Amino acid sequence: MTLNIAICDDEAKEFEPLCHLLDICSFQFNIDLHIDTYTSAQALLTRYRESTGAPYQLLFLDIEMPDGSGITLADVIKRNFDHHVMIVFVSNYPKYMQDSFAVHPYHFLQKPVPEVEMKQLLSDILEEYTKNLSLISVVDGYDREYTLNLKDVYYIEVKNAKSKELCFHMREDVVPAKGTITTWSSMLDETMFMMCSRTVLVNLSHIHYLKDCTIIFDNGASVSMSRRNRKLITDRYLNQVVALHSDFYTHQGV
């Protein structure tokens, strides 16, 4: 598994201790960590603006920076780029902890960060990803590895069955990968992903509506359903819509 991590702190001297702790965790948990560092909120936002997908799964953000609050930065990223990203605030000032709750951070660390606390944090994050099978790693034909959040995958499509080439379609990006559609179909939760034809596996949560034998996603993309799978997908989609409405009214106390 690979975790893409960004650290944003206006004081570059803060990078080394955090990176050192993350390196220790990388060896202990046998995971690959790709770490980028930024000395300004604007630099990190530029990275997000230039990326076609979600570049990071985990962000360590300083709260006090000259070009903007880390809390404001987290809010902008979650609202405009990636609402799934895990935010960890790192600060010398515990008084900011209460304010940080507004953007629903995953955790708050006080500098200097103890090794035992960092290990527990990474352990909890990995356990959550594993439990929910929400983070996956795929490898393309050039052995380049991509880390994807399943919630961001709209559908998986066979590009070439003979050479075992697949495409993972995101909202605005397409990620190539090696593998078979049968393998992914057996691995993924059938309440979330379903085969709509022999070559396409769709994420039910991103379906906007169904029209005849066509699935239209909430980003405007579309795929065809086979007649064989049409009724099953239609029933599952309608059941999901009913469940969502039921949850809404339950929360409203109706």
Side-chain angles (χ1 to χ4, degrees), residues 13 17 20 32 62 86 110 115 125 129 137 143 152 201-202 204 216 221-222 243 246:
K13 66 180 181 180
H20 176 67
D32 293 324
D62 185 28
M86 289 185 171
Q110 186 173 350
E115 181 178 327
I125 288 173
Y129 274 134
S137 293
D143 291 328
D152 296 330
L201 183 64
V202 299
L204 296 171
I216 294 88
S222 62
S246 176

Side-chain angles (χ1 to χ4, degrees), residues 237-247:
Y237 169 69
L238 292 176
N239 287 339
Q240 179 177 272
V241 171
V242 170
L244 286 173
H245 278 79
S246 176
D247 286 345

